[in-house]
Amino acid sequence: KIKLIQKTRGLTFGTDAFLLASYVKPRRMGIAAEFGCGTGIISLLVQSKDRFKRVDAYEIQPDFAELAERNIRLNRFEEKICVQCADVTDKSVFDLAGRYDAVFMNPPYMKTTSGKRNVSEAKNIARHEVHGGIADFCASASAILKTGGNLYVVWRPDRLSELVLAMCGAGIPPKSMTFVHADENTPPSIVLVGGKKGSAADMKVTPPLILHSPEKSERRVL
């Protein structure tokens, strides 16, 4: 029942946002942060289920930060979500270390040297590591997470090794991982990863999530 205003020349709501929101576990009295909120859709989905007391949604692009604020007001979530226009890879924007119980993010997944450059600069910033790579995002997440706090990331399987290295390097080793397949006959197109700051380096790989299965096959849902 969420209403969403989107930019025609910006990234629009997709499956990865929905899956990440479903992957985030609740801490109903906790405070969470989203890195790169865009239109605000993931924070809206998370808070529509009251998973946190409050979410601080960070967005580097002023136009999208303003749009996220409009979407939050449109859905009357002002008391549940607060938008911050800031570069999360610049850790000086955070005034208090170790304040968050969880961080979730759908970060840029393409290197600046890969992929075709889009006419829309907003899409380039959202898709390419223009303002920092995955190691920068994980380092910032570690700086603001409490010990025992959770990090949730949706990412590309072909760059999974970089994500794991970045999370371990930031002291947030992966604890759970789910590969997402369009159907039973195709390789995974998305991977969902959850980590915990300061935890032991042991991880559970769940059965794969199949989005489109034959009618007689069982479907897993998050």
Side-chain angles (χ1 to χ4, degrees):
K1 297 181 180 180
I2 293 174
K3 299 176 182 178
L4 190 68
I5 304 168
Q6 301 187 94
K7 288 182 179 289
T8 56
R9 298 189 68 181
L11 288 182
T12 54
F13 171 38
T15 304
D16 50 355
F18 177 79
L19 292 173
L20 178 60
S22 299
Y23 207 64
V24 175
K25 291 180 173 60
R27 286 199 181 189
R28 290 189 168 84
M29 296 307 296
I31 301 174
E34 180 184 2
F35 285 179
C37 71
T39 62
I41 181 58
I42 301 176
S43 288
L44 285 166
L45 288 168
V46 166
Q47 290 300 78
S48 69
K49 298 182 180 181
D50 292 317
R51 297 199 171 179
F52 299 97
K53 182 178 180 180
R54 191 186 80 241
V55 169
D56 290 337
Y58 292 89
E59 171 55 47
I60 193 171
Q61 300 188 67
D63 289 351
F64 276 90
E66 181 182 356
L67 180 59
E69 288 180 340
R70 290 177 61 192
N71 282 323
I72 289 163
R73 290 195 300 270
L74 179 65
N75 292 278
R76 299 180 180 178
F77 275 50
E78 294 95 330
E79 295 184 1
K80 295 183 177 183
I81 306 171
C82 178
V83 177
Q84 307 280 347
C85 185
D87 179 359
V88 297
T89 63
D90 178 4
K91 290 189 282 293
S92 66
V93 305
F94 303 114
D95 59 359
L96 184 64
R99 67 180 300 181
Y100 290 101
D101 299 283
V103 173
F104 51 92
M105 59 182 176
N106 180 7
Y109 52 82
M110 297 178 69
K111 296 182 179 181
T112 54
T113 55
S114 67
K116 185 177 179 181
R117 189 173 180 84
N118 202 285
V119 175
S120 168
E121 185 60 20
K123 288 185 178 181
N124 284 323
I125 292 173
R127 288 175 174 165
H128 292 79
E129 296 173 332
V130 176
H131 293 284
I134 189 60
D136 300 303
F137 282 88
C138 289
S140 291
S142 181
I144 65 171
L145 277 171
K146 299 175 182 177
T147 299
N150 297 106
L151 173 64
Y152 302 95
V153 188
V154 59
W155 192 242
R156 282 174 43 155
D158 61 333
R159 295 190 65 191
L160 178 57
S161 60
E162 295 175 65
L163 174 61
V164 172
L165 285 171
M167 291 177 68
C168 290
I172 318 172
K175 301 294 288 182
S176 64
M177 185 178 296
T178 301
F179 290 95
V180 182
H181 301 247
D183 56 53
E184 295 174 349
N185 300 312
T186 59
S189 57
I190 294 172
V191 59
L192 297 159
V193 182
K196 180 178 287 189
K197 182 178 176 179
S199 71
D202 58 328
M203 182 178 67
K204 176 183 178 182
V205 179
T206 73
L209 174 61
I210 309 298
L211 298 181
H212 306 285
S213 299
E215 291 183 1
K216 293 183 180 180
S217 297
E218 293 183 358
R219 292 188 180 183
R220 288 186 63 246
V221 294
L222 293 173

